[in-house]
């Protein structure tokens, strides 16, 4: 039985640069994995079958799970005759902008690369991951990376670190944001802001904090706007929505202050964790 941690991600910067002919959008973002996520376990199934169990019932069929799809994709790409029996300990919330499902898929690629003795490179897994979702390629290695295109054009960086003594709070309000709703009303920015950001200090989290999706999401989802304000009111140096929502994250001067903020958020959060950055695999 092998086990893989599936760290979630936040976006320290995110802008929509342009709309593509294929209907997708070109993005500019700084991805960062965090030390919170799901755990995927797997063991060989010599029959060739792919199966997946969970720690609690999911609201969708197994065949639509990105873990299942990742296994099927890898099995076909490398003509693998063996199968796998997965067990996914799910902790991350759905519809949260933290890349939970994509992180699970990336974990499946890493796990099966070992379990099936494929010896695929991280770059090979990233290319396959791009077929599963825009966040998957980054989450294969995690850490800190700038990303362009739909998120698959990666520039890996030296791992970023939180300021000494500080803590990261990530929380999800009692709502979820459909991707379509996030893009609605979001006019692409062009690439000027992104180009300026790429030349700035990535360790200036507060000065660089930007998420284009806030323009369209916060007016539609007042619970997210309120949580972002709550973070600042409770002592965060800054607060920002992650991805296309609904989660909010912020850096607090101390772990104690972040933990106190969790108590104050109470039931307004369906998920909350005090954590730090995950430096990657």
């Amino acid at each position: 039985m092998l086990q893989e941690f599936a760290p979630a991600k936040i976006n320290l910067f995110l802008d929509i640069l342009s709309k593509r002919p294929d209907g997708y959008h070109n993005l500019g973002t700084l991805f960062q994995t965090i030390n919170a996520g799901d755990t995927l376990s797997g063991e060989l199934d010599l029959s060739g079958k792919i199966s997946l169990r969970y720690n609690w019932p999911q609201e969708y069929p197994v065949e639509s799970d990105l873990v299942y799809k990742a296994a099927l994709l890898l099995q076909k790409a490398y003509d693998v005759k063996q199968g796998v029996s997965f067990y996914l300990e799910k902790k991350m919330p759905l519809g949260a902008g933290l890349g939970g499902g994509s992180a699970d898929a990336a974990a499946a690629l890493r796990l099966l690369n070992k379990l099936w003795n494929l010896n695929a490179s991280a770059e090979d897994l990233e290319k396959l991951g791009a077929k599963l979702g825009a966040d998957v390629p980054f989450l294969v290695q995690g850490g800190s990376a700038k990303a362009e295109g739909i998120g698959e054009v990666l520039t890996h960086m030296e791992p970023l670190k939180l300021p000494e003594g500080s803590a990261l709070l990530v929380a999800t309000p009692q709502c979820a944001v459909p991707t379509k709703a996030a893009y609605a009303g979001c006019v692409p920015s062009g690439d000027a802001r992104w180009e300026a950001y790429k030349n700035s200090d990535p360790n200036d989290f507060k000065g660089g904090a930007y998420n284009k999706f806030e323009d369209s999401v916060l007016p539609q989802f007042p619970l997210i706007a309120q949580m972002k304000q709550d973070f600042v009111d409770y002592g965060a140096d800054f607060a920002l929505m992650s991805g296309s929502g609904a989660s909010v994250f912020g850096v607090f001067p101390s772990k104690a202050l972040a933990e106190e903020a969790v108590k104050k958020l109470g039931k307004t959060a369906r998920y909350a964790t005090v954590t730090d950055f995950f430096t990657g695999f």
Side-chain angles (χ1 to χ4, degrees):
M1 175 79 73
L2 292 181
Q3 196 172 80
E4 278 288 326
F5 178 47
K9 62 81 188 172
I10 55 174
N11 302 79
L12 295 168
F13 177 97
L14 176 56
D15 202 357
I16 304 169
L17 309 185
S18 61
K19 190 164 186 179
R20 298 155 54 113
D22 61 9
Y24 290 95
H25 290 79
N26 287 311
L27 306 174
T29 189
L30 177 54
F31 281 128
Q32 176 63 52
T33 41
I34 62 174
N35 202 23
D38 302 331
T39 302
L40 181 68
S41 303
E43 59 185 356
L44 275 177
D45 184 327
L46 297 178
S47 73
K49 182 183 175 184
I50 298 167
S51 60
L52 174 58
R53 296 179 299 114
Y54 304 92
N55 57 326
W56 45 272
Q58 299 299 308
E59 300 170 1
Y60 48 83
V62 165
E63 291 76 17
S64 68
D65 195 295
L66 285 178
V67 168
Y68 184 91
K69 290 181 178 181
L72 205 60
L73 183 66
L74 207 58
Q75 200 178 45
K76 289 181 178 178
Y78 286 85
D79 194 26
V80 177
K81 305 304 180 189
Q82 300 164 319
V84 59
S85 175
F86 281 127
Y87 177 74
L88 179 59
E89 188 177 340
K90 194 79 185 156
K91 293 181 180 177
M92 304 311 293
L94 299 174
L98 299 174
S102 296
D104 297 339
L109 294 176
R110 289 192 306 274
L111 189 151
L112 292 174
N113 192 33
K114 300 169 190 171
L115 190 68
W116 291 342
N117 296 312
L118 302 179
N119 296 312
S121 68
E123 290 72 24
D124 291 337
L125 296 180
E126 287 174 358
K127 286 176 185 175
L128 282 171
K131 297 179 181 180
L132 298 165
D135 292 344
V136 179
F138 162 67
L139 288 162
V140 167
Q141 295 189 70
S144 310
K146 292 171 183 171
E148 297 173 300
I150 61 168
E152 85 288 9
V153 182
L154 296 169
T155 304
H156 291 282
M157 304 161 50
E158 281 293 312
L160 296 172
K161 294 181 180 179
L162 290 172
E164 190 70 31
S166 62
L168 181 74
L169 172 57
V170 181
T172 312
Q174 299 285 354
C175 62
V177 181
T179 305
K180 188 175 181 181
Y183 276 100
C186 253
V187 179
S189 304
D191 60 3
R193 186 188 286 109
W194 171 237
E195 291 300 324
Y197 180 77
K198 285 197 291 184
N199 293 317
S200 67
D201 180 4
N203 289 289
D204 181 11
F205 305 131
K206 182 177 181 179
Y210 179 79
N211 186 340
K212 178 69 175 180
F213 283 113
E214 288 188 347
D215 291 355
S216 64
V217 172
L218 297 190
Q220 295 183 74
F221 297 88
L223 291 178
I224 304 174
Q226 182 59 55
M227 181 169 281
K228 185 182 175 186
Q229 184 58 52
D230 287 344
F231 268 49
V232 176
D233 291 345
Y234 300 157
D237 293 332
F238 74 95
L240 192 69
M241 188 177 77
S242 183
S244 56
S247 297
V248 174
F249 68 89
V251 175
F252 284 75
S254 70
K255 185 177 180 181
L257 202 58
E259 289 173 342
E260 186 62 30
V262 172
K263 293 177 184 176
K264 290 177 180 176
L265 287 173
K267 292 182 179 179
T268 64
R270 60 185 171 104
Y271 173 83
T273 185
V274 177
T275 185
D276 55 11
F277 290 169
F278 180 81
T279 56
F281 296 97

